[in-house]
Amino acid sequence: MSVHGEIKKVTTHTLQWMKQHGEKISMLTAYDFSMARIFDDAGIDVLLVGDSASNVMAGHETTLPITLDQMIYHAQSVVRAVDRCLIVVDLPFGTYQGNSKEALNSSIRIMKEAGAHAIKLEGGEEVVDSIKRIVGAGVPVMGHLGLTPQSIYKFGTYAVRAKEEEEAETLMVNARLLQDAGCFALVLEKIPAALGQRVAKELKIPVIGIGAGMHVDGQVLVMHDMLGITKDFSPRFLRRYLNLYEDIKGATEHYIKDVKSKDFPNEQEQY
Ligand code: KIV
């Protein structure tokens, strides 16, 4: 049986049920009201207000510059649009790494001011205390391992992570630690499919992949990539469902032509 379409509100418990029953979890990023409404109407299970907003909405090279206030603004817009799906919001860089109290305060701001349902943060062992404190306050936490973009200057590259055994073992250890700390789900980004499969098999919580292969419990993509709005980003894991860059550019060129040629507006399009 599939709960897709039958469930009125997706919760962390729904995702757990999906994992147990082999139903894959669908997740996309969203940053604004209009797109979030379409995704929710389409039946998406989870919307992530990702700090990738820093890249695709604000035009920064990395996710590091986006602020907590800016994340809350995006999250508020998404929350206003959604009836059914679970809304998870990224804690941005610099708002949780200091200590667990800072992490809790940032999470509380997201829950109170945006009305989100859960938060996500990046990292393993080093964020365990923070996760325990946030979960202890009643806030569901999603973990994120593998390629963690907030650490891009440490990695030095966006290449696939954990290809070597040592890093793969560390990731395994961290995945267990995050589950034990109380995470309700885990995102794995850009790692070998075999490792994704191993983590998903061992962990009881749902594992959602982006470039982590077919054997994890669900998939997430950045909406601009999935819809083909970004055109210069073509990692192997990306499937484009539309080519909106070309479609929107074409429509804009058409509009410009109609305005210049005085074709728009016509008699029926004026008062
Ligand atoms: O910020 C984001 O979009 C993310 C996804 C890549 C999982 O964290």
Side-chain angles (χ1 to χ4, degrees), residues 5-141:
E6 294 169 17
I7 200 99
K8 285 214 164 60
K9 293 256 181 225
V10 177
T11 68
T12 57
H13 301 277
T14 318
L15 303 188
Q16 188 61 53
W17 188 95
M18 287 177 172
K19 170 155 181 144
Q20 278 157 5
H21 291 80
E23 178 174 342
K24 298 282 186 185
I25 297 163
S26 61
M27 174 163 145
L28 277 172
T29 65
Y31 319 96
D32 73 290
F33 176 87
S34 303
M35 294 307 298
R37 172 139 294 180
I38 298 172
F39 295 148
D40 192 51
D41 279 349
I44 198 82
D45 296 315
V46 185
L47 283 181
L48 170 66
V49 183
D51 59 356
S52 49
S54 180
N55 308 112
V56 294
M57 299 302 286
H60 294 296
E61 210 173 299
T62 72
T63 58
L64 275 67
I66 200 160
T67 66
L68 187 55
D69 284 338
Q70 288 165 339
M71 287 301 296
I72 288 171
Y73 165 78
H74 286 296
Q76 286 168 335
S77 308
V78 169
V79 167
R80 280 193 285 269
V82 160
D83 287 327
R84 177 183 174 277
C85 70
L86 185 82
I87 302 169
V88 183
V89 180
D90 265 333
L91 286 186
F93 177 70
T95 68
Y96 65 97
Q97 289 92 345
N99 56 60
S100 65
K101 187 161 190 298
E102 182 188 40
L104 176 62
N105 289 342
S106 302
S107 306
I108 286 176
R109 279 201 63 200
I110 285 176
M111 301 300 282
K112 263 181 118 81
E113 295 177 37
H117 307 141
I119 64 98
K120 175 166 86 57
L121 48 71
E122 296 181 6
E125 189 185 1
E126 68 280 9
V127 289
V128 159
D129 285 346
S130 296
I131 292 170
K132 286 184 182 161
R133 194 155 180 179
I134 298 166
V135 173
V139 177
V141 175

Side-chain angles (χ1 to χ4, degrees), residues 50-240:
D51 59 356
S52 49
S54 180
N55 308 112
V56 294
M57 299 302 286
H60 294 296
E61 210 173 299
T62 72
T63 58
L64 275 67
I66 200 160
T67 66
L68 187 55
D69 284 338
Q70 288 165 339
M71 287 301 296
I72 288 171
Y73 165 78
H74 286 296
Q76 286 168 335
S77 308
V78 169
V79 167
R80 280 193 285 269
V82 160
D83 287 327
R84 177 183 174 277
C85 70
L86 185 82
I87 302 169
V88 183
V89 180
D90 265 333
L91 286 186
F93 177 70
T95 68
Y96 65 97
Q97 289 92 345
N99 56 60
S100 65
K101 187 161 190 298
E102 182 188 40
L104 176 62
N105 289 342
S106 302
S107 306
I108 286 176
R109 279 201 63 200
I110 285 176
M111 301 300 282
K112 263 181 118 81
E113 295 177 37
H117 307 141
I119 64 98
K120 175 166 86 57
L121 48 71
E122 296 181 6
E125 189 185 1
E126 68 280 9
V127 289
V128 159
D129 285 346
S130 296
I131 292 170
K132 286 184 182 161
R133 194 155 180 179
I134 298 166
V135 173
V139 177
V141 175
M142 180 180 272
H144 185 156
L145 293 172
L147 177 64
T148 45
Q150 292 179 12
S151 303
I152 189 58
Y153 290 115
K154 184 175 83 178
F155 298 144
T157 156
Y158 285 99
V160 178
R161 302 303 314 175
K163 277 161 89 174
E164 306 304 328
E165 202 176 318
E166 196 181 335
E167 193 180 338
E169 285 313 313
T170 306
L171 190 144
M172 251 346 283
V173 169
N174 280 325
R176 287 185 207 111
L177 285 174
L178 295 189
Q179 171 170 273
D180 293 348
C183 282
F184 73 91
L186 174 64
V187 166
L188 291 181
E189 181 164 351
K190 224 172 171 187
I191 59 162
L195 180 59
Q197 178 174 26
R198 199 176 143 206
V199 178
K201 202 163 168 214
E202 193 175 307
L203 261 52
K204 294 196 170 57
I205 58 172
V207 174
I208 299 172
I210 172 163
M214 61 171 82
H215 298 293
V216 289
D217 305 306
Q219 300 292 331
V220 56
L221 286 175
V222 170
M223 57 157 273
H224 289 68
D225 303 332
M226 187 280 265
L227 295 173
I229 297 172
T230 45
K231 71 178 172 74
D232 299 325
F233 181 67
S234 299
R236 188 201 293 203
F237 69 75
L238 175 60
R239 186 181 292 182
R240 284 204 176 87

